[in-house]
PDB file of all heavy atoms in Angstrom:
ATOM      1  N   GLN G  15       8.199  -7.061 -11.344  1.00 97.00           N
ATOM      2  CA  GLN G  15       6.949  -6.972 -12.091  1.00 97.00           C
ATOM      3  C   GLN G  15       6.130  -5.890 -11.846  1.00 97.00           C
ATOM      4  O   GLN G  15       5.684  -5.251 -12.754  1.00 97.00           O
ATOM      5  CB  GLN G  15       6.073  -8.157 -11.470  1.00 97.00           C
ATOM      6  CG  GLN G  15       6.298  -9.603 -11.759  1.00 97.00           C
ATOM      7  CD  GLN G  15       4.876 -10.176 -11.532  1.00 97.00           C
ATOM      8  OE1 GLN G  15       4.120 -10.248 -12.518  1.00 97.00           O
ATOM      9  NE2 GLN G  15       4.608 -10.544 -10.350  1.00 97.00           N
ATOM     10  N   ILE G  16       5.988  -5.369 -10.656  1.00 98.00           N
ATOM     11  CA  ILE G  16       5.185  -4.239 -10.294  1.00 98.00           C
ATOM     12  C   ILE G  16       5.809  -2.995 -10.885  1.00 98.00           C
ATOM     13  O   ILE G  16       5.298  -2.194 -11.492  1.00 98.00           O
ATOM     14  CB  ILE G  16       4.963  -4.051  -8.792  1.00 98.00           C
ATOM     15  CG1 ILE G  16       4.136  -5.210  -8.312  1.00 98.00           C
ATOM     16  CG2 ILE G  16       4.271  -2.723  -8.478  1.00 98.00           C
ATOM     17  CD1 ILE G  16       3.842  -5.184  -6.829  1.00 98.00           C
ATOM     18  N   GLU G  41      17.569  -0.839  -6.946  1.00 98.00           N
ATOM     19  CA  GLU G  41      17.542  -2.327  -7.209  1.00 98.00           C
ATOM     20  C   GLU G  41      18.767  -2.919  -6.417  1.00 98.00           C
ATOM     21  O   GLU G  41      19.713  -2.213  -6.107  1.00 98.00           O
ATOM     22  CB  GLU G  41      17.449  -2.701  -8.685  1.00 98.00           C
ATOM     23  CG  GLU G  41      16.250  -3.105  -9.254  1.00 98.00           C
ATOM     24  CD  GLU G  41      15.613  -4.403  -8.590  1.00 98.00           C
ATOM     25  OE1 GLU G  41      16.265  -4.989  -7.904  1.00 98.00           O
ATOM     26  OE2 GLU G  41      14.421  -4.620  -8.789  1.00 98.00           O
ATOM     27  N   THR G 128       4.695  -1.109  -0.507  1.00 98.00           N
ATOM     28  CA  THR G 128       3.830  -2.026  -1.291  1.00 98.00           C
ATOM     29  C   THR G 128       4.403  -3.452  -0.925  1.00 98.00           C
ATOM     30  O   THR G 128       3.596  -4.368  -0.896  1.00 98.00           O
ATOM     31  CB  THR G 128       3.956  -1.809  -2.721  1.00 98.00           C
ATOM     32  OG1 THR G 128       3.236  -0.458  -2.909  1.00 98.00           O
ATOM     33  CG2 THR G 128       3.213  -2.835  -3.547  1.00 98.00           C
ATOM     34  N   ASN G 130       5.694  -6.887   0.497  1.00 95.00           N
ATOM     35  CA  ASN G 130       5.057  -7.704   1.606  1.00 95.00           C
ATOM     36  C   ASN G 130       6.176  -8.155   2.526  1.00 95.00           C
ATOM     37  O   ASN G 130       7.344  -8.451   2.057  1.00 95.00           O
ATOM     38  CB  ASN G 130       4.275  -8.827   1.038  1.00 95.00           C
ATOM     39  CG  ASN G 130       2.885  -8.309   0.623  1.00 95.00           C
ATOM     40  OD1 ASN G 130       2.299  -7.494   1.262  1.00 95.00           O
ATOM     41  ND2 ASN G 130       2.399  -8.735  -0.484  1.00 95.00           N
TER      42      ASN G 130
HETATM   43  P1  NAI U   1       9.255  -9.077  -8.093  1.00 86.92           P
HETATM   44  O1  NAI U   1       9.969 -10.186  -7.497  1.00 86.92           O
HETATM   45  O2  NAI U   1       8.997  -9.184  -9.560  1.00 86.92           O
HETATM   46  O3  NAI U   1      10.252  -7.721  -7.884  1.00 86.92           O
HETATM   47  C1  NAI U   1      10.752  -7.319  -6.682  1.00 86.92           C
HETATM   48  C2  NAI U   1      11.967  -6.737  -7.071  1.00 86.92           C
HETATM   49  O4  NAI U   1      12.472  -6.185  -5.785  1.00 86.92           O
HETATM   50  C3  NAI U   1      13.041  -7.578  -7.731  1.00 86.92           C
HETATM   51  O5  NAI U   1      13.497  -7.012  -9.014  1.00 86.92           O
HETATM   52  C4  NAI U   1      14.242  -7.530  -6.680  1.00 86.92           C
HETATM   53  O6  NAI U   1      15.504  -7.581  -7.192  1.00 86.92           O
HETATM   54  C5  NAI U   1      13.960  -6.197  -5.918  1.00 86.92           C
HETATM   55  N1  NAI U   1      14.574  -6.179  -4.600  1.00 86.92           N
HETATM   56  C6  NAI U   1      14.750  -7.123  -3.666  1.00 86.92           C
HETATM   57  N2  NAI U   1      15.371  -6.675  -2.658  1.00 86.92           N
HETATM   58  C7  NAI U   1      15.630  -5.358  -2.979  1.00 86.92           C
HETATM   59  C8  NAI U   1      16.292  -4.399  -2.129  1.00 86.92           C
HETATM   60  N3  NAI U   1      16.886  -4.561  -0.930  1.00 86.92           N
HETATM   61  N4  NAI U   1      16.276  -3.067  -2.623  1.00 86.92           N
HETATM   62  C9  NAI U   1      15.741  -2.814  -3.874  1.00 86.92           C
HETATM   63  N5  NAI U   1      15.127  -3.770  -4.609  1.00 86.92           N
HETATM   64  C10 NAI U   1      15.041  -4.941  -4.141  1.00 86.92           C
HETATM   65  O7  NAI U   1       8.072  -8.685  -7.245  1.00 86.92           O
HETATM   66  P2  NAI U   1       6.700  -7.879  -7.593  1.00 86.92           P
HETATM   67  O8  NAI U   1       5.731  -8.753  -8.240  1.00 86.92           O
HETATM   68  O9  NAI U   1       7.242  -6.705  -8.314  1.00 86.92           O
HETATM   69  O10 NAI U   1       6.201  -7.571  -6.140  1.00 86.92           O
HETATM   70  C11 NAI U   1       6.986  -6.750  -5.285  1.00 86.92           C
HETATM   71  C12 NAI U   1       6.356  -6.775  -3.792  1.00 86.92           C
HETATM   72  O11 NAI U   1       5.041  -6.357  -3.791  1.00 86.92           O
HETATM   73  C13 NAI U   1       6.359  -8.322  -3.243  1.00 86.92           C
HETATM   74  O12 NAI U   1       6.754  -8.203  -1.949  1.00 86.92           O
HETATM   75  C14 NAI U   1       4.898  -8.622  -3.393  1.00 86.92           C
HETATM   76  O13 NAI U   1       4.447  -9.562  -2.402  1.00 86.92           O
HETATM   77  C15 NAI U   1       4.246  -7.247  -2.987  1.00 86.92           C
HETATM   78  N6  NAI U   1       2.814  -7.055  -3.422  1.00 86.92           N
HETATM   79  C16 NAI U   1       2.055  -6.300  -2.601  1.00 86.92           C
HETATM   80  C17 NAI U   1       0.834  -6.084  -2.904  1.00 86.92           C
HETATM   81  C18 NAI U   1      -0.060  -5.163  -2.022  1.00 86.92           C
HETATM   82  O14 NAI U   1      -1.197  -5.073  -2.307  1.00 86.92           O
HETATM   83  N7  NAI U   1       0.395  -4.574  -0.957  1.00 86.92           N
HETATM   84  C19 NAI U   1       0.090  -6.628  -4.090  1.00 86.92           C
HETATM   85  C20 NAI U   1       0.978  -7.369  -4.852  1.00 86.92           C
HETATM   86  C21 NAI U   1       2.361  -7.581  -4.661  1.00 86.92           C
END
Side-chain angles (χ1 to χ4, degrees):
Q15 282 205 91
I16 294 175
E41 258 297 350
T128 296
N130 280 319

